[in-house]
Amino acid sequence: MYQHTIEDRLAEIQEKANENNLVQRLREVNDHLGPLLEQLGVMAEVWETEFAARIRFLPLDNNGWYSPVEIIFNDTNGREPTWQDAYLKVGVWGCRKLGETGFVSWKRFNVERQELRGENDAKMFEWLRFVLDYHRTVPPYVGVLNCIVNENFGDLYDDVARWAEDLQILQTYGPYHKEPLEVFKFKDRRGRDVEISMRYLSGERASVHVDGRLVEEFRDTDRFKFYEILRKLCDKNFSPSLYKR
């Protein structure tokens, strides 16, 4: 697969110099951080909205990972933005191994605003280099082998693992969805087959099937509701009327 180099992408952007007043800032980023960006497998890209402009660090190829760090330039009323107008937006991510299932789960726990540090340009880029290198890269939402897409899945896994034995994780891509269906599969205390499935978006409704029958739905952010469902299914000391045939 052909991969863009930083020089290729910068050349493309420079052709649009009259259309974009961030070209000089982008050139400075590549001049100071080029080797690190290549090491990380990302390239600097400009993205402008009505309220602000930003430099993002996106994958060099379609299957690559991206940096969770962005440089944000405040609205400058049409003048060329300077580094004094900029700050960093940093996504704080973590990755956990989901037991012995072979899957891992990435989650963004926070988004931080950080000021650009340094008494001169050299020190500022030294700080920016440290931030980019420290946070490294994170995977895209879809298409990474054995990588769970839904950010809340790992939290729910911890709840399931407390109750269920022989827990399995399934991740299937259908013909009409770019995002996978992600499923917990286990047997409840009565020996029935339980599947808890969800799509990738945080806050999506998850479905609970028992022996193929839909018995409950809940939002994947509702840990209290999920715990209640698991207790009814798995706690041998609990005798609910729910989920009877």
Side-chain angles (χ1 to χ4, degrees), residues 93-205:
W93 289 73
C95 179
R96 75 185 88 177
K97 180 182 176 183
L98 301 183
E100 301 302 321
T101 65
F103 284 87
V104 298
S105 175
W106 284 81
K107 181 174 182 176
R108 188 176 67 180
F109 291 95
N110 194 17
V111 178
E112 298 178 348
R113 171 176 172 147
Q114 297 183 9
E115 301 305 321
L116 280 174
R117 302 182 184 181
E119 62 271 17
N120 54 48
D121 284 354
K123 290 294 184 181
M124 181 193 70
F125 280 108
E126 183 178 326
W127 167 248
L128 183 54
R129 184 181 300 107
F130 168 78
V131 174
L132 286 164
D133 191 38
Y134 179 83
H135 289 278
R136 307 300 291 178
T137 55
V138 297
Y141 280 112
V142 297
V144 179
L145 182 64
N146 290 344
C147 184
I148 293 298
V149 174
N150 185 297
E151 290 187 20
N152 298 310
F153 196 96
D155 294 333
L156 302 183
Y157 172 87
D158 289 340
D159 289 335
V160 177
R162 293 190 185 100
W163 294 98
E165 298 179 356
D166 300 324
L167 175 62
Q168 300 177 49
I169 293 176
L170 306 177
Q171 187 185 54
T172 59
Y173 286 83
Y176 304 109
H177 291 91
K178 179 181 178 182
E179 300 81 17
L181 181 69
E182 297 173 328
V183 183
F184 299 106
K185 187 175 181 179
F186 58 93
K187 290 188 180 294
D188 72 357
R189 61 190 173 90
R190 297 170 60 186
R192 297 174 300 178
D193 292 323
V194 179
E195 291 190 1
I196 301 173
S197 58
M198 63 203 74
R199 291 285 177 187
Y200 83 108
L201 288 177
S202 176
E204 282 283 289
R205 297 196 69 81

Side-chain angles (χ1 to χ4, degrees), residues 53-120:
R54 64 190 66 197
I55 294 177
R56 304 181 296 178
F57 301 95
L58 303 181
L60 283 170
D61 61 72
N62 293 333
N63 298 318
W65 293 24
Y66 67 96
S67 169
V69 178
E70 296 182 355
I71 305 171
I72 311 294
F73 294 89
N74 293 317
D75 185 9
T76 56
N77 295 319
R79 65 175 174 81
E80 184 173 353
T82 68
W83 291 113
Q84 284 69 42
D85 302 311
Y87 63 91
L88 300 181
K89 177 182 175 182
V90 180
V92 180
W93 289 73
C95 179
R96 75 185 88 177
K97 180 182 176 183
L98 301 183
E100 301 302 321
T101 65
F103 284 87
V104 298
S105 175
W106 284 81
K107 181 174 182 176
R108 188 176 67 180
F109 291 95
N110 194 17
V111 178
E112 298 178 348
R113 171 176 172 147
Q114 297 183 9
E115 301 305 321
L116 280 174
R117 302 182 184 181
E119 62 271 17
N120 54 48

